Amino acid sequence: MSSVSSQPQFRYTQPPSKVLHLRNLPWECTEEELIELGKPFGTVVNTKCNVGANRNQAFIEFEDLNQAIQMISYYASSSEPAQVRGKTVYLQYSNRQEIVNNKTTADVVGNVLLVTVEGEDARMVSIDVLHLVFSAFGFVHKITTFEKTAGYQALVQFSDEETATSAKNALDGRSIPRYLLAEQVGQCSLKITYSAHTDLTVKFQSHRSRDYTNPYLPIAPSAIDSTGQVAVGVDGKKMEPESNVLLASIENMQYAVTLDVLHMVFAAFGDVQKIAMFDKNGGLQALIQYKDVQTAVVAKEALEGHCIYDGGFCKLHITYSRHTDLSIKVNNDRSRDYTMPNPPVPMPQQPSQNPYTGNPQQYHAAGGSHQQQPQGGWVQPGGQGSMGMGGGGYNPYMAPPSSSSMHHGPGGHMPPHHYGGPGPMH
């Protein structure tokens, strides 16, 4: 098989033009490099660099049509391809007869910079680090960060165009100083253009937005405990702002998970204020609100990846929610506000109301007598070891169902005993 690229270096698909279209250029090819490439064939009077989705294309315009024809003809017959920085450049006539340099938004000088943070760990660069970097050139008024298809980006607002231009010229293409980044964060570089914005709107101080001109702006809970350090997740990469509200997703849901079951599980770590359950993406999710962030952190660390029922059933995946105070309008089998005085007690759930089709006997013990909903699976164990049988009370854990009792009809599984707290993940 030939190692030579099947892509032609030149094309005659367009009629001759003074303007040539160049492809496969190196990243951030400069105007000087383009002029140098066309210089042997004539006078390059205009260029347009870094066009296309990958910014690896350009146009050059010669003073005379014959000069453009000469360049195309030369490389069509030459064994040496056109090259820039060692990369083979592909040439063809453009369908335009001249280059009209309409300035794009990125070319118009302004006081707000659009910053793209590049690198494997770009999302772990905090807003405080960005503030330190850009403050070296003048007072930074506001910063907002966000994620787009281009990656992790920020808008940085200065008081005037001169300060913004000074910061852009000094930082564009440069790496963030190593000493400003946490140990786990790899090298990150900055790509900077001008933004069309002139005054950013920041509604509250948070880990994603800051207004350094307004000290009276409300502070979002996610920013209260900020120390300027990057929050690193258990995987060493993920940054997840902590919250007093947890989002729990339940997978492998072979048995019904009711609101009372969730309350029992999460109340083992502190007072649960509110719970809201909902269906999303074909599965069950729930928002669980604690009084403070610290309690939520403990619960998340203890419960993440654990299963509510033994045997790997109803596995919990927990993240922090952006919510800080859930709005519960009514107490029912899908939502509950435990802070309300004397909240109405929902009627016992009938089989027909169960969204997870099951048998009325699914909460009965194997012996056939009525068994209450488990109440002790996640509470302090009693006098009988981990099974929580203190004081002669009932056993809150059901024995695994026998093969003969596993199915009582479509979806009618008997739940096995609850998993007794933190331990090996099922």
Side-chain angles (χ1 to χ4, degrees), residues 223-237:
I224 291 177
D225 297 327
S226 176
T227 61
Q229 299 297 316
V230 177
V232 180
V234 294
D235 57 1
K237 293 183 178 180

Side-chain angles (χ1 to χ4, degrees), residues 5-178:
S5 172
S6 60
Q7 185 174 19
Q9 187 203 350
F10 57 91
R11 293 181 179 177
Y12 289 116
T13 56
Q14 297 290 343
S17 166
K18 292 189 299 182
V19 180
L20 301 184
H21 179 205
L22 284 63
R23 297 171 294 114
N24 199 45
L25 289 162
W27 176 256
E28 296 293 341
C29 181
T30 66
E31 182 180 22
E32 290 76 15
E33 289 175 308
L34 295 178
I35 293 174
E36 191 66 26
L37 182 63
K39 196 173 183 179
F41 307 97
T43 303
V44 176
V45 296
N46 207 349
T47 65
K48 191 173 183 68
C49 309
N50 304 312
V51 299
N54 296 320
R55 298 174 66 85
N56 65 347
Q57 301 179 46
F59 295 92
I60 60 173
E61 180 183 342
F62 283 98
E63 186 178 40
D64 182 76
L65 176 62
N66 290 327
Q67 296 170 351
I69 293 174
Q70 186 180 355
M71 185 173 184
I72 288 287
S73 299
Y74 175 82
Y75 285 114
S77 59
S78 174
S79 59
E80 294 294 328
Q83 290 188 334
V84 174
R85 292 188 225 159
K87 286 194 70 174
T88 297
V89 178
Y90 302 108
L91 312 172
Q92 68 184 86
Y93 293 116
S94 171
N95 57 6
R96 64 182 76 185
Q97 296 301 312
E98 64 176 341
I99 295 175
V100 179
N101 275 323
N102 294 325
K103 286 192 172 182
T104 64
T105 298
D107 298 322
V108 179
V109 176
N111 66 313
V112 178
L113 300 177
L114 173 61
V115 181
T116 303
V117 183
E118 299 179 330
E120 185 178 347
D121 299 323
R123 288 166 179 79
M124 296 171 63
V125 176
S126 70
I127 196 169
D128 298 305
V129 168
L130 292 175
H131 181 251
L132 284 171
V133 170
F134 285 89
S135 290
F137 301 89
F139 178 65
V140 174
H141 285 219
K142 302 172 185 178
I143 300 178
T144 62
T145 63
F146 49 91
E147 293 187 34
K148 289 286 184 76
T149 53
Y152 180 60
Q153 296 183 307
L155 289 169
V156 181
Q157 178 179 332
F158 287 101
S159 57
D160 53 68
E161 296 175 358
E162 291 75 19
T163 308
T165 300
S166 175
K168 177 182 180 298
N169 292 340
L171 296 174
D172 188 20
R174 301 286 296 276
S175 295
I176 297 175
R178 179 71 255 175

Side-chain angles (χ1 to χ4, degrees), residues 107-333:
D107 298 322
V108 179
V109 176
N111 66 313
V112 178
L113 300 177
L114 173 61
V115 181
T116 303
V117 183
E118 299 179 330
E120 185 178 347
D121 299 323
R123 288 166 179 79
M124 296 171 63
V125 176
S126 70
I127 196 169
D128 298 305
V129 168
L130 292 175
H131 181 251
L132 284 171
V133 170
F134 285 89
S135 290
F137 301 89
F139 178 65
V140 174
H141 285 219
K142 302 172 185 178
I143 300 178
T144 62
T145 63
F146 49 91
E147 293 187 34
K148 289 286 184 76
T149 53
Y152 180 60
Q153 296 183 307
L155 289 169
V156 181
Q157 178 179 332
F158 287 101
S159 57
D160 53 68
E161 296 175 358
E162 291 75 19
T163 308
T165 300
S166 175
K168 177 182 180 298
N169 292 340
L171 296 174
D172 188 20
R174 301 286 296 276
S175 295
I176 297 175
R178 179 71 255 175
Y179 66 88
L180 291 179
L181 302 174
E183 278 185 27
Q184 303 91 336
V185 181
Q187 180 177 332
C188 295
S189 59
L190 303 174
K191 180 182 172 184
I192 306 173
T193 59
Y194 293 107
S195 168
H197 294 281
T198 56
D199 188 19
L200 303 178
T201 300
V202 177
K203 296 182 179 179
F204 51 84
Q205 315 282 23
S206 75
H207 70 292
R208 302 300 296 267
S209 61
R210 297 284 172 85
D211 184 344
Y212 301 98
T213 67
N214 186 1
Y216 303 105
L217 203 62
I219 300 176
S222 60
I224 291 177
D225 297 327
S226 176
T227 61
Q229 299 297 316
V230 177
V232 180
V234 294
D235 57 1
K237 293 183 178 180
K238 186 177 182 181
M239 184 173 69
E240 190 178 24
E242 296 172 350
S243 170
N244 66 310
V245 178
L246 299 177
L247 172 62
S249 302
I250 304 172
E251 72 172 34
N252 195 19
M253 196 162 152
Q254 298 295 317
Y255 308 106
V257 175
T258 65
L259 189 143
D260 291 328
V261 168
L262 287 175
H263 183 265
M264 176 195 68
V265 170
F266 285 88
F269 302 91
D271 290 335
V272 173
Q273 293 185 327
K274 302 174 184 178
I275 298 179
M277 299 169 59
F278 53 94
D279 298 306
K280 188 173 181 181
N281 299 329
L284 179 68
Q285 296 187 1
L287 291 166
I288 300 94
Q289 177 178 327
Y290 286 104
K291 180 175 63 175
D292 52 62
V293 174
Q294 290 74 17
T295 306
V297 170
V298 172
K300 178 181 182 297
E301 292 178 352
L303 294 175
E304 168 58 29
H306 285 205
C307 300
I308 297 177
Y309 294 112
D310 198 3
F313 300 119
C314 303
K315 187 175 182 178
L316 292 169
H317 289 293
I318 304 175
T319 59
Y320 294 109
S321 169
R322 294 183 179 180
H323 295 281
T324 57
D325 188 18
L326 303 180
S327 177
I328 305 295
K329 293 182 172 58
V330 62
N331 286 338
N332 55 30
D333 62 343

